[in-house]
């Protein structure tokens, strides 16, 4: 296992704990495996939430492992899942391509309603490394945000399907295409854990922000996708001020779409410019850096 660090360092633990405590105070519903809440299953709490809500609706999910498949439809807007922490509140399932589910159907949690927020939760697909595509979280929720969450799987762990999305102080585990999709997404101060690849497969990572790149990174940097022409005009891979033994760009592939970005180019991909985060992330109470060259909160 190797680690890539996105955006340098973690927030102080006491501040993170205080934020999670704040998020937990206004619960509209409580899910608990021990019977101490209104609901025993998360899906039941989602079903009870109002449709087309214009205000945040908080669902507190107490510690425990919840084996569920959860779909949050387009009508369930502005839901907030608040766990007791990523180490103790775990949502898991084992759907996969090899067990008869499409990539869309395999997701342990499938979020379509806009404005979704999750804090202090692990989203897991436990299908294992030999069962093909097996998504832990699929988000097509516009203006969705995740804080101190863990996404754990192997192939296709985190499906950022569409919309504007923000990930802060979170962990993503996998070994094949495990962060993918068509969303405009920023991962800030996140840890990406690369698990051992299966036979005849490579580990492929895409990440945004300045990162610490360990020596697991091939000096060529980028891998051709099957038989797709790497000189295709739509290809764009950029690197900006990465650090670590894998950050040397001198031996990168010579494709016209591979670029070492300068400051002017890199700032197009900040929270402010890429996902307009200053307009909506403050409503989630999640800390964020809108621009480059700022110290972390």
């Amino acid at each position: 296992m190797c680690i890539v660090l996105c955006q340098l360092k973690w927030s102080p633990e006491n501040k993170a704990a205080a934020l999670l405590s704040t998020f937990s105070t206004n619960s509209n519903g409580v899910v608990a495996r021990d019977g101490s809440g209104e609901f025993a299953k998360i899906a039941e709490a989602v079903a009870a939430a109002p449709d087309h809500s214009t205000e945040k609706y908080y669902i507190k999910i107490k510690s425990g492992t919840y084996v569920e498949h959860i779909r949050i439809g387009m009508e369930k807007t502005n839901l907030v899942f608040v766990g007791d922490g990523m180490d103790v509140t775990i949502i898991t399932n084992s759907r996969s391509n090899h067990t008869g589910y499409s990539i869309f159907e395999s997701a342990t949690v499938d979020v379509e309603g806009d404005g979704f927020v999750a804090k202090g939760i692990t989203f897991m697909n436990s299908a294992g490394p030999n069962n093909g595509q097996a998504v832990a979280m699929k988000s097509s929720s516009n203006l969705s945000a995740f804080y101190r969450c863990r996404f754990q799987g192997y192939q296709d762990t985190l499906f950022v399907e569409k919309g504007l999305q923000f990930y802060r102080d979170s962990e993503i585990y996998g070994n094949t295409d495990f962060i993918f999709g068509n969303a405009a997404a920023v991962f800030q101060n996140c840890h990406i854990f690369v698990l051992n690849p299966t036979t005849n497969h490579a580990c492929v990572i895409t990440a945004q922000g300045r990162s610490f790149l360990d020596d697991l990174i091939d000096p060529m940097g980028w891998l051709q996708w099957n038989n797709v022409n790497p000189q295709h005009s739509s290809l764009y891979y950029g690197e900006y001020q990465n650090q670590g033994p894998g950050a040397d760009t001198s031996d990168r592939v010579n494709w016209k779409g591979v670029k070492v970005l300068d400051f002017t180019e890199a700032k197009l991909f900040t929270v402010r410019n890429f996902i307009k985060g200053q307009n909506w992330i403050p409503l989630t109470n999640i800390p964020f850096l809108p621009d480059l060259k700022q110290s972390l909160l």
Side-chain angles (χ1 to χ4, degrees):
M1 180 186 297
C2 299
I3 302 173
V4 178
L5 303 180
C6 293
Q7 301 243 328
L8 303 182
K9 63 180 180 180
W10 290 89
S11 300
E13 291 296 327
N14 57 347
K15 177 172 283 189
L19 283 167
L20 284 175
S21 177
T22 300
F23 298 145
S24 302
T25 56
N26 296 317
S27 298
N28 299 106
V30 177
V31 183
R33 286 180 52 81
D34 62 7
S36 61
E38 294 97 327
F39 307 98
K41 293 183 178 294
I42 300 167
E44 295 172 350
V46 171
D51 293 347
H52 308 292
S53 176
T54 58
E55 298 181 352
K56 294 298 185 187
Y57 184 91
Y58 292 82
I59 297 176
K60 170 67 176 176
I61 306 173
K62 290 190 174 182
S63 61
T65 298
Y66 298 83
V67 182
E68 299 190 45
H69 166 68
I70 300 167
R71 181 182 177 275
I72 299 172
M74 295 179 64
E75 73 281 2
K76 299 294 183 180
T77 53
N78 287 306
L79 283 189
V80 182
F81 281 9
V82 182
D84 281 335
M86 67 173 84
D87 292 328
V88 294
T89 298
I90 300 166
I91 308 173
T92 185
N93 211 304
S94 59
R95 292 185 173 196
S96 72
N97 183 253
H98 287 187
T99 56
Y101 295 94
S102 72
I103 188 171
F104 297 93
E105 296 167 336
S106 72
T108 298
V109 178
D110 179 357
V111 184
E112 295 183 352
D114 290 345
F116 179 79
V117 178
K119 302 160 184 178
I121 297 173
T122 284
F123 301 94
M124 178 187 296
N125 191 308
S126 59
N130 299 311
N131 280 302
Q133 296 169 318
V135 176
M137 162 61 70
K138 181 177 82 69
S139 177
S140 57
S141 171
N142 190 36
L143 310 183
S144 57
F146 299 82
Y147 178 60
R148 293 186 66 81
C149 288
R150 179 181 294 140
F151 306 89
Q152 193 161 348
Y154 285 87
Q155 183 172 348
D156 296 350
T157 304
L158 178 56
F159 187 175
V160 290
E161 186 179 13
K162 62 182 180 180
L164 306 181
Q165 303 187 23
F166 180 64
Y167 297 77
R168 170 75 186 216
D169 292 358
S170 293
E171 301 176 359
I172 306 98
Y173 292 73
N175 67 359
T176 303
D177 303 336
F178 60 97
I179 304 173
F180 73 107
N182 293 318
V186 172
F187 297 83
Q188 195 169 82
N189 203 31
C190 290
H191 288 196
I192 299 175
F193 292 80
V194 184
L195 305 178
N196 290 331
T198 53
T199 304
N200 297 322
H201 284 77
C203 289
V204 180
I205 310 163
T206 57
Q208 291 165 304
R210 288 167 289 184
S211 304
F212 180 91
L213 303 182
D214 213 333
D215 58 6
L216 84 162
I217 302 297
D218 190 299
M220 294 180 65
W222 305 97
L223 181 69
Q224 183 175 352
W225 178 262
N226 294 334
N227 295 318
V228 176
N229 179 9
Q231 301 293 355
H232 196 282
S233 60
S234 66
L235 184 144
Y236 185 96
Y237 292 146
E239 298 185 52
Y240 178 69
Q241 292 190 0
N242 293 322
Q243 300 176 4
D248 184 357
T249 60
S250 60
D251 291 324
R252 293 294 193 251
V253 293
N254 186 26
W255 302 342
K256 62 183 179 182
V258 172
K259 303 177 184 297
V260 177
L261 307 181
D262 60 25
F263 177 79
T264 300
E265 294 169 311
K267 71 179 183 180
L268 298 175
F269 300 99
T270 60
V271 167
R272 183 186 303 278
N273 294 322
F274 193 51
I275 61 172
K276 309 300 180 186
Q278 75 281 6
N279 296 330
W280 59 275
I281 297 176
L283 301 176
T284 70
N285 292 320
I286 294 174
F288 71 100
L289 302 179
D291 302 301
L292 294 176
K293 293 188 176 179
Q294 290 182 263
S295 60
L296 291 176
L297 297 176

